[in-house]
Amino acid sequence: MAPPEPARRRRWARAVRLFLERAGPGFVKLGQVLSVRPDLVPEPLRRELEALQDRAAPVPWARVRHTLEQALGADLRETFRALDPRPVASASIAQVHRALLPSGRAVALKVLRPGVEREMARNLRLARRLSPVLGLWPSLRGRVDARSLWDEIERAARDELHLRGEGETAAELGRRFRGDPWIRVPRVFWGHTARRVLTTEWVEGHKISAPEARGHPSYPALAEAGARAFFRQVLEFGLFHADLHPANLLVTRDGRIAYVDFGIRGRLDPGERHAVLGTLAGMLSRDPALALRHLERLGVRVPEAHRSAFVQEVGRALDAGLGPCLGEVPVASIGMGLLRAARRHGVRFPHRHAVLVKALLSIEGTARMLHPGFSLERCARGYLRELALRRVDFATVAEALWRGTALMGLGGLVASQTARRSPRKVFSLAPDG
């Protein structure tokens, strides 16, 4: 007797994942990109791709040493006091070693695998030739521009292969969070960094998913601070760490969250930040029309024949999920439901914002590792109130929240702040229609 259909689908999805893991770094990157698109990829396959393991056998030390000396232009005996030849992590693109600078400072040394640029380019060329097949996949037909999708995959791959660019992201976020009592970004040592080598300070701590990361009395506040830090990256900085799985978040010995591995990062211009803020406000105020209006400013396209049904389905999901008892329904499950609704209604979502969706859906689960009672909805509301009080780009805040102020407890705040503007300015903040 043939196995039931769900079992066959799970076996097929697992076979796809194993093929991608074995095919090389370019195919791993393809799988990682598709894993954040529940609006495109069937759920059994998406779950398998989410578990895609980017692991590889360590490169022999002699080859790593040669790469380091070529990249840094110096003998390692002169550059480091000590360097452990055993990697602490090894993936398809790079591996990480612990070292000591001449000053005795402990550092993490990330180095590209020899030949990985050529292998990645070869993988991506082959995958691009196969890309027209994506357009024949029933769930993708007419809903994805294969060329732009591959352009985005190649851009992400180039970012991960440029370790100096990763260091620049870390350094910028380090400047932004300087003085923050809850957040730590490792310092970059530029004299020991090049395109193929990144040297950052070594951070002592345990993964946020480790058993040691639970039960401490300060961790509820730490969970809240970590989520707010992400909102700041997206809505204030326009630069965010886009790979927030537990291995990239440490809890330090002094009780702070430390970010590591900035290989996957995202950027938003002011208009995009405005649109993300409006979408968030529309969701929190249970106003699907407002949320959709701002999503369309991000490039989301809803077929006109499906528009009314999609808005109604989004409204039902928000009403069901954002009930009177905050925290009962994970916001991530609401978000995944909305993306599945997008798939049913043929909604087109630009891939360049997929990393933001992935990060938004992951921060709640990550924060709940520290504090099981954490509510992303409550945290988001509090952050938006704080944003308005600090009057950070207040015109954007007021415009985005105009329709949702009563539900979000911001009515008095918006009224008091807008009263200080001229009537003409206040009128300009009102939404279209």
Side-chain angles (χ1 to χ4, degrees), residues 123-132 146-147 150-151 154:
N123 285 176
L124 291 176
R125 279 197 302 272
L126 174 59
R128 185 177 275 277
R129 290 195 198 106
L130 298 174
S131 65
R147 177 174 292 181
W150 281 105
D151 287 345
E154 289 179 350

Side-chain angles (χ1 to χ4, degrees), residues 270-282:
E272 290 169 329
R273 299 204 303 270
H274 182 134
V276 171
L277 177 58
T279 302
L280 180 61

